[in-house]
Amino acid sequence: MAFITANWNPLGEAFYRKTELYEMCWNLRDGLRDSLVATAPYGGPIALLREPHRRSPSSRPQLEIYFSSGVSVASFPWKSGPVVHLGWTVSDELLCIQEDGSVLIYDLFGSFKRHFNMGLEVVQSQVLEAKVFHSPYGTGIAIVTGSSRFTLATNIEDLKLRRLPEVPGLQGKPSSWLVLSQDRQTKVLLSVGPDLFILDNTACTAVVPPGLSPQAGNIIQMSVSFSYKYLALFTDTGHLWTGSSNLQDKLSEVETKKSTPPRQMVWCRRPKSQQPSVVLMWDKLLMVAGVCQDTIQFPIEDPCVLVGELDGVRIISSSSQELLQEVPLVCQDIFKIASMAPGALLLEAHREYEKSSQKADEYLREIKEQSMLGEAVRQCVEAAGHEYDSNTQKSLLRAASFGKCFLTDFNPDVFVATCRELRVLNAVRESAVGLPLTFTQFKQMTLQVLIDRLVYRQFYPLAIEICRYLKIPDYQGVSRVLKHWASCKVQQKDLTDEAIAKAVCMKVGDSPGVSYSHIAAKAYECGRTELAIKLLDFEARSGEQVPLLLKMKRSQLALSKAVESGDTDLVYTVVTYLKNEMNRGDFFMTLRNQPVALSLYRKFCKLQEQDTLKDLYNQDDDHQELANFYVTASYREKRLESRLSLLQSAVDEYNKAKNEFSVKATEDEIRLLRFQRRLDDEKGAGLLGLSLQGTMEALLALGLNKQAEQLYRDFRVPDKRYWWLKLRSLAEKEEWEELEKFSKSKKSPIGYLAFVEVCVKSNNKYEAKKYVSKVTPEQKVKAHLAISDLEGAADAAIERKNESEIGVVLSRCSTNDRLLMDKLNRARNSIAKK
Amino acid sequence: MAHSIRRDSPELPDFSLLKRLARDQLIYLLEQLPGKKDLFIEADLMSPLDRIANVSTLKQHEVDKLYKVEYKPIISTADQLCFLIRPRIKTVKWICDVANADKAAGKLRRYKIIFTPQKFYACEAVLEEQGIIGDVTTDEWSFYLLPLDDDIISLELPEFFRDNFLAGDQRWVRTAGSALHLLHSLYGPFSKIYGIGRCSKMAYESWREQVEEGEQRARQAEIGKVFLIDRDVDFVTPLCSQVVYEGLVDDIFRIKCGCVEFGPDVTSSDKSIKVMLNSQDRVFNEIRNEHFSNVFGFLSQKARNLQTAYDKRRGMDIKQMKTFVSEELKGLKQEHRLLSLHIGASESIMKKKTKQDFQELLKTEHSLLEGFEIRECISFIEEHINRQVSMIESLRLLCLLSITENGLLPKDYRSFKAQYLQSYGVDHLLTFANLRQLGLLVEQQPGETLTVMESKVGKLVNDKTAGKLTDAFSSLAKKSNFRALSRRLNLVPKSDEEYDLRVPRDMAYIFSGAYVPLSCKLIEQVLERDGWTGLEEVTRLLNGHEFAVTGSNGVDLRGKGDAQRIILVMFLGGCTFSEISALRFLGREKGYKFIVVTTAITSSSRLIEALLDNQV
């Protein structure tokens, strides 16, 4: 423990430490010499292109890809043109920018993804230099061409090339340049000799860094910080200027007393850093230059590569990888020699406690007296996060846990979370995985992205373990990993369809959120249709299967799945698709096997395509429906002739359907229509379209009794209905004599009570009375009541000795009918006695 | 009986939230088309829309003029037209005509179609076919549920019934599922779901699917149990004449979207008055569930009370008078107004319904339900047609006869059909075809005894592929078996006892004690048994498709007793006011509170009208 500060180097107020991350697993014969190297922040992968400039066509340079720890991922000979620059995108894809301006994109495993071009004119003028940069918009590329023109693409996923304006007086490439992303704008900052220019979309503006003396010399190296906040300029007199990147303020100026340009210059700072500093690297020397004029110098042996990180600089050499960073304040507080910070005391207390020494109590008291125990625990937890060595982490966390025991209202969430997250970090820092993330980087990157990166690197089991360990909801965690795994699995060419389907099904099971149709779509993309169909079978939601099935031209299957899903819209989609795909016959046949789809389509046709509907019924030999169709159509038809012919077709179809009743009914209708037309023509009766009953009614109303009579006979209208009709019609016209004659024409099939009631309804009690005597005995009481003849009703009821009828009459009596009521009551009693 | 242990009914959840949600979304959609615009509203959306957002709200969001969709060329000078419609092909076609006419006239306009509650692919296909898909923007207003009252929520989709049960078009099933999902996410989680009927099952599955897709939040349940029922499980109940006040008002005056228009004969003036009928109306609230024979008694008692309240004025000093005028008088006047309206309505109903004919009609219905004196009933119906009483009523009686008797004898069927066609036109051939397909009016198959039929049906139902029955078979499967069901569930009480309608014994009171509505009886039985066990024979007679599922997150639901006594009943294909009254009665008896969700309020005439096919 005492050695923790051994690798600390003071620089002004702050300390810098260099921690070894890995001994590199790779075995580079020539070190990093003569290679084009691309490294990515956040512990990203490393790409190496050996001897890119050797132009002889016979020997091809080798492109190698490694994890951060040096584990080899891919290696293949470079067959395309000369490469100017290599870079990684935010999603860990390798960009190879060639001399002719074409950019080739490879994935982490070295398989080619796609390519694009930085503009046609570049082919002529050639790319002199290129840079890959990251901004909130994604990964961008900037190039400078042989004709000294800059071209920018802010986001390679959404490629829009911007050719920047010309820089006055620039020949060849500038002495140094970089890309700035500020205020939602991407600009190029470049130096020509001692002059500095900003190049944006519209103009090239000369700028002067505040406080940089004109004697400082030519600016030959520039560097911008990770967050684009700070800028460093290095001149050929060994002068280093640092300031804000908007060129408003100066931070400091340092004389490095080096006249050779540094191989690399990178900002080294952390969020809330005490003092930002710049790391410069020459062939044998690494220098950290801070704001305070002070420098730290490290000798180096091998050629190295610096990788600027959010909170430090990674130094990769052929044998090892180190992290150079400012020691976080909290670590300083705890580990600084003779520190009296609460965290330091707590750590000490715990150490004594483990030794079973009573000093532990003294230390604790001291913290408690200042009521700083909470703060002490917090410090230990935070410091543990920043430590790379797991033993240090442990001792800090143990101390925190120890201190926690003496607190009553301490919220343990942060402590628990830190423990868990450190465990995850330690796991991914393992050499085999090779993601040397610091705690700060991890927080910035978020867990989601970390899992994505692991998945992308195909560390599926680890990713799943992490999801489970951190209890991420399945939907965002395990299921997502499984989904990627399965999508990757289906691309394995060496396995049979059965084996893959089985493996996928076993692993994925019915994890929520994993869509088999998605996996199947992947399989289909890889040309494995059979596998896709097998996988689709596992999809529980039939609706999801349909689009892919259609794509794979399994339309029959798609239709039945759509029907199963119960989603009519989906069924309809498939039906429309089939309609366009198949010939009519097949289409109808397909529908016939799917009643739901068929009825849906029928309904659509009823509204949209009448003729198709007819074809549909024809195909099915559904004569009944076809006939109904003709009937419907006939009512839509205005012209009588066509209406009749449609009805005739209906008759034919009903005949075929052996529906005698309908045949007869339709034939009757035809006859009726003809009859109506004749009368309309002759008498202008306006009958067309009326029902038989309506026709007769109209005829009677017009006094065309003969014709009505004719219909009655021709169409075998039941006597009862005809009598009712005539009765009402005569009463309405108040032809009472006619009515009386009619009543005597023969015995009424509807009885005579009807006559009474109809007359009463027409307010003619006088006429009504005529028929009361004819009413059958059972209805006598009702008839008398209808004409409000209470006495008659009473007599009839008593005569019939019917108790309930007497009751009915009684209920109609009012108080004025005393006598009658007595009479009725007497009668009722006498009946009751019997 | 349950009287002794009657518990207080729990409080109902607040459904006004549904209205607020719908209104906010509509406003959002209107604002998607900034600037002045004319709004065209589908005719049957007018009343529901009125309940959600009034004209001034619409005007606030830059709606200039309002029009009803009338399928005619439009007269509008606006640059932007917005259409608020149901996803119907006919309406979409009309919009295409409008747009194409504008194009021909060289007029440039922006069009926006808002489909409610959702859009269908078929509608977009029409837009595409007519070549205007690029000219219009479409949106969905997911206005699924309109609360008509504290305990009635309607989807206001009358076409659900015909589309689903007659045309076999299942597109509304998902709508029903979404409506259920909405209720679940606002008032759930449900602890138990029961249901019967094919459509119910599909709606349930659609809902489950949506639940699984979406994220789940743990919340305090406000609705405990859900019962889904298809209209075709019970056709008898909606075909009977309604005799409970609310039902009667609906039968006679037609309640539209919770609102009724009383004509001059009711208001005893020369104007018609529109009245909202819901629990806010204190007079109505007291009589809505009463058998009509009691309504007059209630109303006259009420009138007397009112008079006493008015009479208090006498002998008041100035100060008392002042408080009386400021506090009570307004309420009294309001009550007075309502009272006179309902008395007017009752008188009007009396005039129509207490006539001899109506009594005989009821007698016939009761005989049909009991299965007595069928020949007399048949001649009554015959006379009904002969006298040309009513096109719809005759058909209704025929259907009732067919369902209760398991079909008509071929001789009767033919003669009825001939008579009917002669009376009302041959185009009703199609109506008869529809009724046959639904199993509402069928001919007894000669040569096949009932048992053979039943075993056939049984086999079909047990078969997994029951869902794929062809039309012909499904009409066969739709045998009603009413008589057997009635015996099993004791739907028709013994007629020899006097039934005091003032103190109802059971749900039969809604039909004057003659019949317990099958739908409500099923609900009662299933809730009592907490599932379908013991009802196997009944479900077999009903062609199955029953289910009972315990909610997925069945954690500590037992504790919160109140919500578990709130039961949501969803009728797919509509329900009648009588059924709602019956459920309210059941709720009072058993300490439940029922919330009725229906695709639309239906009645015998609406049901039959939906199946007519003479107007294309």
Side-chain angles (χ1 to χ4, degrees), chain B residues 277-301:
Chain B
L277 292 181
N278 54 33
S279 53
Q280 304 297 311
D281 178 339
R282 269 156 52 208
V283 178
F284 178 68
N285 199 28
E286 275 180 68
I287 53 172
R288 70 198 300 186
N289 300 320
E290 289 297 327
H291 189 273
F292 187 68
S293 59
N294 298 336
V295 168
F296 253 117
F298 259 101
L299 289 178
S300 57
Q301 180 61 41

Side-chain angles (χ1 to χ4, degrees), chain A residues 479 483 487 508 511-521 539 541 544:
Chain A
S479 298
K483 193 166 96 189
S487 305
V508 176
S511 313
V514 186
S515 138
Y516 278 97
S517 52
H518 180 93
I519 303 169
E539 176 66 62
R541 292 161 302 168
E544 294 290 307

Side-chain angles (χ1 to χ4, degrees), chain A residues 568 572 691 693 721 728, chain B residues 93 121 171 387 422-423 426:
Chain A
T568 33
Y572 196 78
S691 67
Q693 180 87 7
R721 185 141 51 80
R728 265 207 320 251
Chain B
K93 258 170 111 173
Y121 182 78
R171 60 187 183 158
R387 291 172 62 181
Q422 286 192 352
S423 302
V426 177

